[in-house]
Amino acid sequence: MELLLIFAFLAPVIVGVGAVVALDRPIDEPKVLTPPVPEPEIAPAPVAEPEVEEPPVVEPEPEPEVAPEPEPEPEVVEEPAVELEKPAPAAGRLARLRARLAKSNNVFSKGLLALLAQDDIDEDVWDEIEETLLMSDLGTDPALELVDRLKERVRVEGTQNPEAVRDMLREELITMVDPSMDRRLAATRKDDKPAVVMVVGVNGVGKTTTVGKLARVLVAEDRKVILGAADTFRAAAAEQLTTWGERVGVETVRSDQEGADPASVAFSAVEEGIAQESDVVLVDTAGRLHSKANLMEELGKVKRVAEKQAPVDEVLLVIDATTGQNGLAQAKVFTEAVNVTGIVLTKMDGTAKGGIVVAIQRQLGVPVKLIGLGEGADDLAPFEAETFVDALIAS
């Protein structure tokens, strides 16, 4: 039993000693087996594929460059040359008035001659004659004076023959219209400067039109003219005057600004007239209300400023003949503001009363120099006393 226990105790020791002995012995290194060198793989010879010729790439021919069509140049439309008008000669224009007045209800030819041709002219008839003369805008004093003259001649000559009475009336009217007045227009250069003509008047009497027509009268006389558009308050005035000038080849000096200083425009117009050696400078002015003192003073300023360049030789006052005695009130105020040297009576057609010529001249001592016969471009005529009276009493 004890032996068995001893053996059982010693058995693990013996085994351990054997293990130690085994550990003390050299251990053979394991053999490293060299891996076999793989034989090179022999690739099979490539089988040459038959060459397939690719068709040559045909590059498309480049499209020919199409040059862009040139843009058409803008067509230059030449403006037709403005054909200048040739104004009718001024001489003889007044004779046209005769036919117009003959067709109208002219108080001289239709009423006065009939009264004077009666067999028995008593006081009642003379009263009618006086009333007829007053209706002609002759004015009170000239009408009474003419009646007295006719009374005396009828009494002395003792005739009511229509032709004889017509002759008497013609002679007396010519005397009253006064052919001795100087009606020449101051439109001649002097001292190497142009004549300067100002045209004045109230609104609506036809001032700008009168300036345009007067330019035609002067061009017909071969005078070189410059227009000055000093009416800067009425929008269409400068354009209207320019059109009048272009029709006869006359230059217009104007301002591009509406409401510009009219005196400045007048100054420039005269300056241009001097530079171009013109014969006449015509200055159109704004329509003035004769009741506005400040506006009349401005008109005086235009005259003074223009005269810094050259003297103003003529101031023409335009009056609408159809306004009759109202035109006298306008004329008086204008003559106080500027030195009016001549009267232009416009709209002297069949509706106007010719007696206003005598009335204006009597009150102002200023001659009627021009007379407007109608709407035509050449319907402005130099005033002639005898021709005018003949037109009044034409039947």
Side-chain angles (χ1 to χ4, degrees), residues 16-355:
V17 171
V20 172
V21 174
L23 292 172
D24 287 340
R25 285 185 296 183
I27 301 173
D28 293 334
E29 296 181 2
K31 293 181 179 181
V32 179
L33 297 177
T34 303
V37 178
E39 294 182 3
E41 291 183 3
I42 300 174
V47 180
E49 296 182 1
E51 293 184 1
V52 180
E53 293 185 1
E54 295 184 1
V57 178
V58 180
E59 295 184 0
E61 294 183 3
E63 295 182 3
E65 292 185 4
V66 180
E69 295 184 3
E71 295 184 4
E73 295 184 2
E75 185 178 353
V76 178
V77 180
E78 294 185 1
E79 295 185 3
V82 178
E83 186 175 348
L84 299 182
E85 298 178 6
K86 186 176 181 180
R93 289 185 182 183
L94 195 57
R96 303 178 199 169
L97 184 62
R98 179 171 183 148
R100 292 181 184 175
L101 290 181
K103 296 176 182 178
S104 69
N105 188 24
N106 175 23
V107 297
F108 285 95
S109 62
K110 301 299 182 184
L112 194 58
L113 285 175
L115 291 170
L116 289 171
Q118 293 185 24
D119 293 334
D120 184 18
I121 304 179
D122 56 19
E123 285 301 318
D124 291 337
V125 174
W126 285 117
D127 287 342
E128 286 187 57
I129 291 172
E130 182 180 322
E131 184 179 345
T132 301
L133 290 172
L134 291 172
M135 290 172 59
S136 73
D137 286 330
L138 192 65
T140 304
D141 291 341
L144 293 175
E145 182 181 332
L146 182 56
V147 168
D148 289 341
R149 288 184 183 180
L150 290 172
K151 270 186 181 182
E152 182 65 18
R153 292 194 63 170
V154 168
R155 184 183 64 80
V156 171
E157 298 180 23
T159 179
Q160 277 85 37
N161 180 279
E163 290 301 319
V165 171
R166 182 190 302 275
D167 289 341
M168 284 189 287
L169 179 60
R170 179 180 182 274
E171 292 172 8
E172 295 301 331
L173 282 174
I174 289 175
T175 300
M176 300 191 79
V177 172
D178 195 355
S180 67
M181 280 187 159
D182 185 3
R183 303 179 194 278
R184 292 173 299 176
L185 199 63
T188 305
R189 283 178 62 86
K190 59 183 179 181
D191 300 328
D192 293 328
K193 291 185 178 181
V196 180
V197 179
M198 280 182 59
V199 181
V200 301
V202 297
N203 290 317
V205 295
K207 248 182 353 300
T208 302
T209 299
T210 296
V211 175
K213 290 182 179 181
L214 180 54
R216 296 176 68 90
V217 171
L218 296 171
V219 169
E221 296 176 351
D222 295 324
R223 298 178 192 257
K224 187 175 180 181
V225 182
I226 291 287
L227 301 179
D231 183 354
T232 59
F233 298 103
R234 187 166 65 90
E239 194 65 37
Q240 182 183 356
L241 190 62
T242 301
T243 301
W244 275 103
E246 288 175 345
R247 291 165 67 179
V248 289
V250 171
E251 181 181 340
T252 301
V253 176
R254 55 185 288 186
S255 173
D256 294 332
Q257 291 183 333
E258 185 178 341
D261 182 14
S264 175
V265 176
F267 181 92
S268 299
V270 179
E271 185 178 44
E272 187 66 21
I274 294 172
Q276 295 193 21
E277 298 182 351
S278 300
D279 296 306
V280 188
V281 177
L282 299 178
V283 180
D284 182 26
T285 60
R288 306 296 176 183
L289 297 175
H290 63 274
S291 59
K292 302 293 185 181
N294 59 326
L295 294 180
M296 300 305 294
E297 289 171 4
E298 185 179 329
L299 185 61
K301 174 190 170 185
V302 171
K303 184 173 183 286
R304 291 191 303 272
V305 171
E307 287 186 322
K308 292 181 179 180
Q309 290 285 345
V312 174
D313 301 278
E314 192 89 67
V315 179
L316 296 177
L317 173 60
V318 181
I319 295 178
D320 183 343
T322 62
T323 60
Q325 294 296 314
N326 289 333
L328 287 175
Q330 298 170 10
K332 288 178 183 178
V333 178
F334 276 97
T335 52
E336 293 171 0
V338 289
N339 181 29
V340 174
T341 58
I343 304 294
V344 181
L345 278 175
T346 62
K347 306 178 185 179
M348 181 61 78
D349 53 16
T351 61
K353 302 170 183 177

